[in-house]
Structure formats: structure tokens, C-alpha cells
Amino acid sequence: MTDIMQTRNIAKGILTQAQADSFSGRDPFDGLNSRVFSAFPRLKQGIAGLAWTQFHKRSFLNFRPLAGVPKKRNPKGVALFILGLLEDYQRTQEMPYLSQAVELGQWLLTQQSDARQWQNACWGYHFDWKARAFFVPEGKPNMITTIYVARALYALGQVTGEDKYKAPALDSGNFIVKQLFVEHEGRQFFAYIPGETAFVHNASLWGAAWVAFVGKITNNSEYQQLALTVARQSVKEQAADGSWVYGARHHHQFIDGFHTGYNLEALHLLRLALNCDEFDAAIERGLAYYKCELFEQDGTAKYYSNNRYPLDMHSVTQAVITLLRVSGSKADIALAEKIIKRSIDNLYLPEKSRFAYQKNKHFTNKINYIRWTQAWVYYSFAYFNHHRVQQEK
């Protein structure tokens, strides 16, 4: 059984550190913010940009200070902290949590991607990044950042009663429909970024979940139907054993823990938004596969279905949220507690009051990544702590 005071103390320590740094920090993918590229910005878009990004992401030594990569706020990371702060506020009714959430929410309102170009509310990362197939400039909106910022702002609007947070959150649904809906190679889905045609299940399903929610709130039947159409595409491509590969391209043919958790949470939120049972069987199959193939007997959260490494808190934190939110059964609550306990044994750095990034077979990467690691831990632990209190009532 996980000690509730331990998770509260760990979450408090992470929040305190984040506050001390004004919620700024490093990111696995922020290498292109380096001053090295100031004189030759076009190098970011080619093989040099990809190699530089991967070098910083994969290195267990932090070369960012030497390379002139500054600490900055990340909109998605800030959104995760807001979601955690609201969980802690609802658990304790202590105003500093809400005040901090409001301060961060105000900042997010100023970080929307260029309204002249995108017309509707949307958000991107605070750095340029180079993937194998494309280059994404700083601020270009993407599905996942937009979803988490929108969820955080809407939740903040619910707690404060202020429409200035809800309005852009709901408007992001228009961005998703207008800019990210794709019909390509016989599929209908939501893309990760505007102009991209790669089919990735977690991005598409999160888009469907949010469009369904927006459609329900705004009484937009077309959005609700579109959300169903898109979700059905991913359910159609779910394997018989309940799994999903990451996406459709040849280098996307892997199954990992946190994206599987994303898929299940998104489908669950969609069925709640539309009050439908169409996806119950897919969720049940996916959850069974998730629990059987992506966790070890001792609670270790595996990264891949066929490889436990690297151990990564992203796998842990999404597991806690998925097991509690999608299932909530006593057995799955117990599993979430076991996963948390094992993650503390494997990845917590008590002398630093935070978690390591990843643990591989032969070494541990202890770099402090605020969006990828600490923000996720704070949110998931705050969610777990609030859930435990609700159980006890």
C-alpha cells in the first residue's frame, strides 16, 4: 500500500521546486533553443537539427548550459501543473493552490499561437523541434499541447466561474476541426500538427475526445458526429488482443505504455462526453492488454510491450491516471498504488526531491525535465491524493 503522506510530500517538494524556478526548466526536445544556431538558423531544419535534438535528448549529461539552451516555461508543462494545483485545491480547499493556478492560467492565455494565422485558440511548444519527417518551428500549434492547455483552462474556468478561461478552451475545438482533420489513404482522423498526414492514434483520439466534449457543451451535433467518426477509425485498427501500435507509418509499429494509456483515457472521456457505450468493448480489451503486457508483477511500468527499458515516469504517471479514471476498480487502484511505490524505488532522487528522467539497463539519466517528468508527476500524484480522499469519504 502506498503511503499517502509520502505521495503528498513528494508532490509538495516538486511543486516547491517548480515555484522556485517560476515553472521554467529543461525539456528533452529543447536543444534547438541553443545559441549555437543563432548565426545559422537554417541548420535546424536538416540532418544537423535532427542530430542535435537527439544528442541532447539521449545524453545522460546535461550539455544545455554549455550550449546556451535557456530554461523556459512550456505551455503543456504549465497546463499539467494547473491540473495538479486544482486537484490539490479541491482536496484541501487551500487558496494558495487556486491562486497559483490562476496566475499560470493568465500566462497561458498570453501564449496562444498566432491568431492571424490559425484563427482559433491553439498552443505549441516553446522551442523549434526536428523530427524524422518534419520540422516544427517554435509556437506552431500541435494537438497534444492544445488539448492539455484547453483542459487545464476549462477546468480553471469551472472552478473560478470565469468564462475568460472557458472560451479559448472551447474555441480550441474549432482549431482541431478546421486545421487538424485529415482524410488520407482511406482514413479519417485528426493529425498531430497542421499540414501533417501521419496517422497517430493518441493524437487522433485526444482530438476526438475534445471535439466530442466541445460538441456536447456547445450543442454542436456535427462536432459530436465527427468525433465518433474519428474515434471509430482508431477502434477499427485496434488489434484483436486490445493493443494499438503508435501509428500507421513503418517506424510507428511499436506498442508503448503511456500512449496506450492516452488512448484509453481519451476513449473514456469521449464516451462520457457523448454518454454512449459504443466503445466499452474496445476500452475493456485495451485495458486488459494494458494491465497484462505493460506492467510487471512488482508494479514496474514498462516502456514498451516487449522491453521494460527505459523506465520512465511518463509511463508511471499516465498509468496512475488511466487506472483510476478509466477503471477505478479496487484491483486497479491497488495496481496504481503498486506502480507508484515501485516508481519511487526505481526513479525517485530523495536528495534532490524530484524524479530522474529515465533509467536504462546500465545507467540512469538524472536530468531534471520539468514538462516530461516533474509536471506529470505533480499532476498524477495530486490526482491520486485527491482520489484517495474521495474514496475515504
Side-chain angles (χ1 to χ4, degrees), residues 200-316:
V200 173
H201 289 292
N202 77 91
S204 188
L205 284 172
W206 265 120
W210 192 248
V211 168
F213 178 79
V214 170
K216 183 70 172 181
I217 296 296
T218 61
N219 197 30
N220 187 324
S221 59
E222 291 184 7
Y223 277 20
Q224 294 176 50
Q225 186 56 51
L226 181 60
L228 287 171
T229 297
V230 168
R232 286 166 183 157
Q233 186 70 59
S234 284
V235 170
K236 179 182 176 181
E237 298 191 38
Q238 184 183 29
D241 63 4
S243 65
W244 283 276
V245 295
Y246 176 75
R249 292 188 172 172
H250 71 277
H251 57 285
H252 292 161
Q253 302 307 296
F254 59 86
I255 302 167
D256 71 88
F258 63 86
H259 288 116
T260 299
Y262 280 172
N263 295 344
L264 292 168
E265 185 186 6
L267 272 176
H268 173 67
L269 294 178
L270 187 150
R271 72 175 171 183
L272 290 180
L274 301 185
N275 192 27
C276 69
D277 59 7
E278 177 180 342
F279 304 112
D280 288 1
I283 293 170
E284 186 177 345
R285 287 195 306 273
L287 195 59
Y289 178 90
Y290 186 51
K291 292 186 291 183
C292 181
E293 300 296 336
L294 289 158
F295 305 99
E296 297 179 351
Q297 283 294 110
D298 65 359
T300 298
K302 296 164 61 178
Y303 199 99
Y304 298 106
S305 59
N306 58 358
N307 187 357
R308 75 193 312 238
Y309 293 109
L311 303 182
D312 188 313
M313 283 305 294
H314 217 112
S315 305
V316 171

Side-chain angles (χ1 to χ4, degrees), residues 24 50 70 106 263-264 290 369-370 378-379:
S24 298
L50 179 60
Q106 295 275 47
N263 295 344
L264 292 168
Y290 186 51
Y369 289 132
I370 190 165
Y378 177 67
Y379 170 40

Side-chain angles (χ1 to χ4, degrees), residues 52-212:
W52 185 262
T53 300
Q54 289 301 313
F55 168 75
H56 286 283
K57 178 180 180 292
R58 294 172 184 271
S59 175
F60 63 90
L61 297 176
N62 188 8
F63 291 100
R64 289 170 179 81
L66 187 64
V69 179
K71 292 182 178 181
K72 288 190 173 184
R73 283 184 176 182
N74 182 291
K76 181 183 173 185
V78 168
L80 291 168
F81 273 109
I82 290 173
L83 290 169
L85 287 161
L86 294 177
E87 293 289 343
D88 274 342
Y89 170 67
Q90 290 169 328
R91 175 176 62 84
T92 66
Q93 295 299 301
E94 294 178 7
M95 285 303 297
Y97 289 120
L98 181 58
S99 298
Q100 183 75 84
V102 167
E103 179 185 329
L104 294 176
Q106 295 275 47
W107 180 80
L108 283 179
L109 293 178
T110 71
Q111 299 302 301
Q112 294 181 46
S113 298
D114 188 353
R116 292 169 297 178
Q117 181 175 6
W118 305 111
Q119 282 82 55
N120 302 108
C122 51
W123 290 263
Y125 290 131
H126 68 283
F127 46 77
D128 298 329
W129 58 284
K130 180 71 175 77
R132 186 181 306 187
F134 48 77
F135 171 78
V136 184
E138 175 185 351
K140 182 173 182 177
N142 66 70
M143 174 68 82
I144 300 301
T145 301
T146 295
I147 291 291
Y148 277 92
V149 170
R151 292 176 68 200
L153 289 176
Y154 193 84
L156 185 59
Q158 284 186 301
V159 173
T160 63
E162 295 194 51
D163 286 339
K164 68 178 180 180
Y165 301 117
K166 289 184 180 180
L170 293 175
D171 186 46
S172 69
N174 298 320
F175 162 75
I176 293 169
V177 171
K178 294 176 183 178
Q179 303 289 348
L180 297 180
F181 179 65
V182 174
E183 295 182 274
H184 183 69
E185 295 182 344
R187 292 186 175 98
Q188 295 178 302
F189 60 94
F190 290 121
Y192 183 73
I193 58 173
E196 178 56 37
T197 58
F199 177 43
V200 173
H201 289 292
N202 77 91
S204 188
L205 284 172
W206 265 120
W210 192 248
V211 168

Side-chain angles (χ1 to χ4, degrees), residues 16-17 23 68 72 88 150 174 206 362 380-381:
T16 298
Q17 283 194 20
F23 296 90
K72 288 190 173 184
D88 274 342
N174 298 320
W206 265 120
H362 301 296
S380 67
F381 279 26

